[in-house]
Amino acid sequence: MTTLKKAALVGTARLTGMPATGTPVDDLVAGIEGLTPERRVLLSAGMLSIFRRAGYVPSTAASLPAPAPAETLPPCSQGAARALGDVFIDGRLELLPEAFLLLTNAGRRVPFSLLVDCLDLRDPVHREAARPVLGERGVWLAHQRADWGWASARVAHEPDARELTRIWEEGRSDDRLAALGRLRELDATGARDVLSSSWKQEPSEFRLSVLAALAARLSKDDEAFLQTALRDRAGAVRAAAASLLARLPESTFAARAIARADALLDIDKVPPSGMWDRLKATVSRDDPQFTVVARPPERFDPEWDADGISAKPPKGVGERAHWLMQAVALVNPTHWSERANATPFELTRAAWRGEWGAAVSIGWSRAALLHDAKDWIVALWDSWLAADVGADPHAEVIRGELLLQLFEQMPPDTAQERVIALLQDPALAPDLELESMLDRFARPWPDALGTAVLDAIEAAVALGSAAPTVQLSGSIRAAGPALSAGLFDRALALASHDTVRAIITRVAHDFDVFAHQIRLRQRLHQEVAR
Amino acid sequence: MALWGECQGSALYQVRVHLPDATVKCSCPSRKFPCKHALALMLIAAGQPELVPAAEPPPWVGEWLAHRVRAIEQREQKPKKASPPDAEAQARRAGQRLERVREGIEALDLWMQDLVRSGLASIEVAGSSPWEGQAARLVDAQASGLAARLRGISGLPRATPDWAGELLADLGRLALLTHAFGCIDDLDAPLRADVRQLVGWSLKEEDVVAAGDLVEDDWLVLGQFVDEDERFRVQRTWLKGIRSDRVAMVLQFAAGTAPFGDTFAPATHFEATLAFWPSAFPLRALVHVRQTVAVAWHDRLPGSDSFAAFLLDAAHALGRQPWLGRLLCVVRDVIPVIGQNERWSLVDRDRAAIPLGGTGTWSLLAISGGHPIDVAGEWDGRALRPLFASAWAERITWSRPAT
């Protein structure tokens, strides 16, 4: 072909004589009369290509790779394989952890035909769930491709301190953050040392994110470094360092913070003054035993700036309230219950009776979240739900955010009680994002929670066009991957409710996804058990 | 004969069905046709006729019915006006078409010769518009087969390192085709049929059946590929007869996202009579009569035991019909191997290796695990593209356990 190709590339116009192929094709073409040189090149090339194709000779494989070892687990049934395949095809990856767990518990593995889909998974949660069901074949296959390396070992590879330090020194910022976080778990002091060694060269945004890594295993040893960070150029970094220092009870910073806040809050026990007060207290069950009187600062003390307190309030917040909130937020709230010998429930309610109720409650809420003071978190959630903040637009905005954060950090049992109460009476907090609240619970949900959610959906559906669309949608979306198997039948009956589908198209779509998820999960449960 | 009714949707809809030709009209705004209101009405009439009492049509139904009846009468009169088949006129039209095709081919030959005279290297700057223009002329000349072939070639320049070699080979085969057309009367009847089809004469399905190459067999569906165009999709399904060992390729066309007319589930088999297009190496076929429904196939694949055996068959096929593009390759006990730079190959029990192409290679490796498996694929003379469907994957592994 080469001589022909050359002739065709440069053009026969520049050629003298006919290029020969040195094959029987030459004689064949010569036998055709009246051909132009161009036509002869074309016909020769055509014939030669057909000859080549007919005479194709395979190459010889030098060696074959070692085959995969025999499996130790049986494959899942064909029905289970089809159901799992549909999870991938339909893009319902949120159901994968459950599907893999079912297979793991049944002692089965995924079929060979789904291994590529499994190895291509990106989400670390999905990967860890898949690991036990990949089988010998999956591990063998993972060795063949660099981006499947995560699955080439039976257990996740845990890099040691030296490897983590290398990633910290050479990696990209996401990897560096993750490496520092893991190093902190392995070696708290070592992590702080590598962090402080490059601290000054890091950009301010990165300094802010790495400080968060020190929150884990925080100890008195970190105080000196945090003091450096407290003098950072960036205000956000100073504030983050202040939050960490505030969590070290023996630090001079914490002592300063307590002294500062003590001057701002007076908590007193008020004895019931007479019969009338006592009677009122008993009837309203709101026993005014305590008063919380806030005395927000008149002026900004320049020294506070060094403790991460900002002078300038955000829009819509008064200066004095802003300073008060920040000062209170740095102090562990158990300090107040101990000082006044009162429960968090009594104090949080008393705060709302005072003039600066919202500011104190915001400060306490941030403090409770920062110090993870569980009984305060629950008490504050209740007080925010009961509080009337209508007069203060800033507090109203903040209320929703704080409620969600308090809910996140609430102990699971209490959180379940509180969300069930909300489900039973949606008017309690009509503006809360139910979906994200429900998503905090481990799947599958306890039956009590699942039943409450289905009850709420049923009640909303009964309202027809008056149904609270956002809350209804949120409940439906959260419940699809989370309901326990015992509730599948009831869920499917509910999802086929025609009236509400016809009225609210958005809910109709959510119901379609919901029913799809439940049916897929039902198939997975049945087929794996088979 | 009509059905009508009123249905309370977002508004009150008037639904009419003319039963003789099942045309419907409804005042709803649905773009689906027939709409759900009409379907519901027909379902009620079919399932619970007692709910549909006989009555005189109200005016809103009567007017529409009268309109329908007029339309049907006009349609039935039309064919009567057309003149009966006139053998002389048909022959004249066939002659005119032949002349147009000859002229088109003459222009194509000249154009190809010009390309070779001035050199393929000059195409590099010319771009694709001359190809499109030439293809359009062939369409006008009613040589759509040649036009499609030319469009296929037009993507080659500068596409691969050896584009010049591939381009010359494809142009050469095209030139061989026009050469064959020039002496078509000297060819055997089957090859003559091939050349005519390759140039652009198409056969109606009833003509294919009438041509008489009917094969009754137990047909195994090995898989299919779908090629997508902007406007329509072409599905290529490969079948193999268990008893006759014959290979059949069924082409189906669908516009946009419409489904294909017939369903061929991979890894199933069914008894049927297939009608093959006349050819020196009959490959394209249509399902004339299905005798049984398709059921799952659980046996090993019927195929060659080595690439040498398959390639010998392929050479014989090319000897009979040199323009064959894709061939079905079924080989048993082969191992997919991933080489340097993800250069895949398939290795048979004699260690003969051919390149593996397409997208299903990793799944093939997952299923094989380095052990021998049976593979069916499409061979284009360069690489084997595994016929891959997820349903197939479960059953493709009739491998013997490694020993």
Side-chain angles (χ1 to χ4, degrees), chain A residues 33 64 75 101 117 194 213 288 312 321 365 391 394-395 507 509:
Chain A
E33 284 172 16
L64 293 173
L101 185 63
D117 291 305
V194 295
K312 198 173 173 299
S365 299
H394 177 254
V507 175
H509 174 73

Side-chain angles (χ1 to χ4, degrees), chain A residues 69-300:
Chain A
E71 294 294 339
T72 51
L73 296 175
C76 63
S77 68
Q78 285 207 7
R82 272 194 298 273
L84 185 59
D86 287 347
V87 171
F88 281 107
I89 292 168
D90 299 337
R92 299 248 76 94
L93 301 190
E94 70 276 13
L95 306 184
L96 281 178
E98 181 180 24
F100 291 145
L101 185 63
L102 285 169
L103 291 180
T104 309
N105 292 342
R108 301 288 176 129
R109 58 175 171 81
V110 299
F112 297 153
S113 56
L114 288 178
L115 281 175
V116 170
D117 291 305
C118 291
L119 292 173
D120 276 340
L121 289 171
R122 312 290 314 166
D123 187 323
V125 174
H126 295 166
R127 286 180 170 185
E128 286 320 302
R131 198 184 290 281
V133 292
L134 295 174
E136 296 292 333
R137 182 66 54 91
V139 175
W140 178 87
L141 198 61
H143 275 287
Q144 321 277 329
R145 220 167 103 169
D147 56 337
W148 288 347
W150 66 270
S152 58
R154 280 272 162 222
V155 287
H157 170 70
E158 287 295 344
D160 59 9
R162 182 189 296 176
E163 206 175 332
L164 290 170
T165 309
R166 191 187 52 76
I167 300 173
W168 167 257
E169 282 161 0
E170 299 165 9
R172 287 180 309 182
S173 36
D174 285 359
D175 300 332
R176 297 184 65 203
L177 271 182
L180 186 72
R182 266 182 297 187
L183 189 58
R184 179 75 172 173
E185 303 287 330
L186 291 181
D187 175 7
T189 314
R192 192 187 58 243
D193 288 347
V194 295
L195 170 59
S196 56
S197 68
S198 63
W199 177 251
K200 283 187 179 136
Q201 288 92 52
E202 309 289 358
S204 68
E205 274 178 32
F206 192 72
R207 291 203 301 278
L208 185 60
S209 1
V210 286
L211 264 193
L214 290 193
R217 302 189 61 190
L218 189 67
S219 77
K220 199 172 182 315
D221 299 343
D222 299 316
E223 191 179 349
F225 172 74
L226 290 172
Q227 287 292 349
T228 342
L230 195 59
R231 293 189 296 275
D232 200 89
R233 294 186 300 279
V237 175
R238 290 199 299 275
S243 299
L244 290 173
L245 280 166
R247 288 175 51 191
L248 294 174
E250 305 93 350
S251 68
T252 55
F253 180 95
R256 267 204 312 282
I258 289 174
R260 178 167 45 227
D262 270 343
L264 302 178
L265 281 191
D266 279 348
I267 302 176
D268 289 311
K269 188 161 188 173
V270 209
S273 50
M275 267 309 273
W276 175 243
D277 281 348
R278 250 182 278 178
L279 185 67
K280 203 171 74 177
T282 319
V283 170
S284 67
R285 304 181 62 214
D286 188 14
D287 192 6
Q289 284 194 63
F290 293 89
T291 56
V292 175
V293 177
R295 306 179 200 289
E298 300 286 344
R299 282 178 310 100
F300 187 79

Side-chain angles (χ1 to χ4, degrees), chain A residues 1 4-14 32 35-39 41-43 45-47 49-50 53-70 78 81-82 89 111-116 137 140-141 144-145 148, chain B residues 109 112-113 115-122 162-165 168-169 171-173 175-176 178-179 307 311 315 318 322-325 335 337-338 342 347 351-355 362-363 365-371 379-382 390 393-395 397:
Chain A
M1 189 63 96
L4 280 180
K5 194 168 85 184
K6 270 184 205 154
L9 264 174
V10 300
T12 47
R14 295 187 188 82
I32 307 172
L35 291 181
T36 61
E38 293 78 34
R39 192 73 179 160
V41 168
L42 281 168
L43 292 183
M47 286 182 198
S49 88
I50 289 164
R53 191 171 280 193
Y56 184 94
V57 180
S59 57
T60 305
S63 64
L64 293 173
Q78 285 207 7
R82 272 194 298 273
I89 292 168
F112 297 153
S113 56
L114 288 178
L115 281 175
V116 170
R137 182 66 54 91
W140 178 87
L141 198 61
Q144 321 277 329
R145 220 167 103 169
W148 288 347
Chain B
D109 280 341
M112 286 197 292
Q113 294 199 49
L115 270 185
V116 176
R117 184 176 305 119
S118 49
L120 296 180
S122 63
D162 185 34
W163 65 267
L168 182 62
L171 285 174
R173 282 198 297 273
L176 271 184
T178 63
H179 182 79
F307 287 128
L311 289 165
L318 283 167
W323 295 279
L324 280 174
I335 302 175
V337 174
I338 174 169
E342 288 205 17
V347 181
R351 289 279 178 102
I354 62 168
W362 283 106
S363 296
L365 188 65
I367 285 156
S368 148
H371 302 288
W379 170 250
D380 65 0
R382 294 189 188 91
S390 55
E394 296 303 323
R395 299 180 180 108
T397 51

Side-chain angles (χ1 to χ4, degrees), chain B residues 7-346:
Chain B
C7 176
Q8 181 62 57
S10 307
L12 189 68
Y13 299 130
Q14 297 185 318
V15 196
R16 291 147 271 211
V17 182
H18 182 233
L19 287 173
D21 61 348
T23 44
V24 304
K25 183 173 169 67
C26 179
S27 57
C28 78
S30 170
R31 260 178 250 115
K32 280 192 183 150
F33 206 79
C35 68
K36 56 189 172 186
H37 315 107
L39 287 175
L41 186 59
M42 288 193 265
L43 279 175
I44 292 172
Q48 297 152 284
E50 68 279 5
L51 295 179
V52 187
E56 268 309 302
W60 58 271
V61 180
E63 280 162 29
W64 178 72
L65 280 178
H67 187 75
R68 284 303 322 146
V69 171
R70 271 198 304 279
I72 291 173
E73 280 170 4
Q74 278 168 7
R75 203 186 335 163
E76 280 170 354
Q77 277 162 10
K78 259 185 196 161
K80 286 174 196 158
K81 283 178 194 164
S83 53
D86 178 347
E88 199 179 316
Q90 273 187 337
R92 193 171 61 242
R93 274 200 300 279
Q96 282 169 348
R97 176 171 184 188
L98 186 62
E99 200 46 45
R100 266 206 294 279
V101 171
R102 278 211 182 102
E103 284 166 13
I105 284 180
E106 209 168 295
L108 172 68
D109 280 341
L110 266 180
W111 184 75
M112 286 197 292
Q113 294 199 49
D114 282 348
L115 270 185
V116 176
R117 184 176 305 119
S118 49
L120 296 180
S122 63
I123 295 172
E124 277 190 281
V125 285
S128 66
S129 55
W131 296 85
E132 190 41 51
Q134 194 58 38
R137 283 175 69 180
L138 286 167
V139 171
D140 291 344
Q142 293 184 285
S144 55
L146 295 178
R149 215 161 245 270
L150 197 62
R151 286 204 176 104
I153 302 174
S154 73
L156 285 179
R158 283 167 295 155
T160 56
D162 185 34
W163 65 267
E166 288 173 35
L167 180 62
L168 182 62
D170 279 9
L171 285 174
R173 282 198 297 273
L174 188 56
L176 271 184
L177 185 55
T178 63
H179 182 79
F181 185 74
C183 49
I184 193 163
D185 294 334
D186 303 337
L187 303 177
D188 292 339
L191 194 57
R192 202 151 63 214
D194 279 314
V195 171
R196 280 176 63 86
Q197 285 165 48
L198 288 167
V199 167
W201 273 273
S202 52
L203 279 182
K204 293 202 184 85
E205 298 208 338
E206 55 262 35
D207 297 337
V208 174
V209 175
D213 187 5
L214 302 178
V215 181
E216 200 185 315
D217 205 337
D218 182 9
W219 296 96
L220 170 61
V221 183
L222 286 159
Q224 59 220 172
F225 286 116
V226 177
D227 284 340
E228 291 187 35
D229 200 291
E230 282 150 25
R231 279 163 298 154
F232 66 96
R233 294 174 301 140
V234 185
Q235 184 202 53
R236 233 169 24 249
T237 303
W238 292 94
L239 308 173
K240 188 152 193 186
I242 306 294
R243 294 188 293 270
S244 66
D245 210 31
R246 275 187 73 160
V247 173
M249 182 188 68
V250 178
L251 288 181
Q252 292 198 98
F253 304 88
T257 53
F260 293 105
D262 207 347
T263 306
F264 298 98
T268 62
H269 64 125
F270 56 95
E271 287 281 344
T273 305
L274 264 55
F276 284 79
W277 264 253
S279 163
F281 187 79
L283 204 54
R284 186 174 173 197
L286 59 87
V287 179
H288 179 41
V289 185
R290 264 187 202 252
Q291 275 100 12
T292 62
V293 292
V295 291
W297 175 263
H298 292 293
D299 212 338
R300 292 192 60 175
L301 294 188
S304 318
D305 288 324
S306 70
F307 287 128
F310 161 72
L311 289 165
L312 192 63
D313 290 345
H316 283 305
L318 283 167
R320 283 154 68 184
Q321 209 277 61
W323 295 279
L324 280 174
R326 304 183 180 94
L327 289 168
L328 177 71
C329 170
V330 187
V331 275
R332 293 150 68 117
D333 290 334
V334 287
I335 302 175
V337 174
I338 174 169
Q340 295 285 309
N341 303 323
E342 288 205 17
R343 247 182 255 257
W344 290 84
S345 57
L346 204 53

Side-chain angles (χ1 to χ4, degrees), chain A residues 357-379:
Chain A
V360 173
S361 296
I362 292 171
W364 275 348
S365 299
R366 291 193 177 139
L369 291 167
L370 176 66
H371 292 90
D372 200 26
K374 294 294 186 198
D375 48 353
W376 274 84
I377 285 174
V378 177

